[in-house]
Amino acid sequence: MRITCPHCGNRGLEEFTYTQDAERTRPTDGGATPTPEWADYIYLRDNLKGPRKEYWYHSAGCHAWLIVERDVSTHEILSVRLP
Ligand SMILES: [Zn+2]
């Protein structure tokens, strides 16, 4: 798999670090009391197929954060942009 960084161009996967799903919504309750919403946000993950937006970090390159849209079934990269 290769990712085209907007700054560095087309690079191998080994230069990048996956960080997290970019489509999850952080709960609005920022209080100190744990809530079921926070537990779901922190611990539960859906294993969805198809195109997904993900945060990637160009750790061995320009150190840019990227939003990569990738089909997680085929690993095809659909788009790459800066957040
Ligand atoms: Zn880069």
Side-chain angles (χ1 to χ4, degrees):
M1 192 168 88
R2 296 184 68 83
I3 296 175
T4 302
C5 173
H7 299 295
C8 308
N10 194 5
R11 301 298 177 101
L13 178 64
E14 64 278 2
E15 290 191 12
F16 297 87
T17 303
Y18 169 86
T19 60
Q20 63 181 319
D21 186 339
E23 297 185 39
R24 298 181 70 216
T25 304
R26 189 179 175 105
T28 55
D29 178 12
T33 304
T35 64
E37 279 185 1
W38 274 108
D40 287 353
Y41 176 75
I42 293 169
Y43 296 112
L44 299 179
R45 301 286 184 273
D46 294 326
N47 192 17
L48 302 172
K49 292 182 176 180
R52 303 291 302 161
K53 292 185 179 113
E54 304 169 321
Y55 286 113
W56 286 75
Y57 181 64
H58 198 178
S59 52
C62 65
H63 298 265
W65 288 89
L66 306 172
I67 294 179
V68 176
E69 186 176 12
R70 177 174 71 96
D71 187 319
V72 296
S73 299
T74 64
H75 301 293
E76 178 185 5
I77 303 292
L78 305 170
S79 67
V80 179
R81 66 179 175 86
L82 299 172

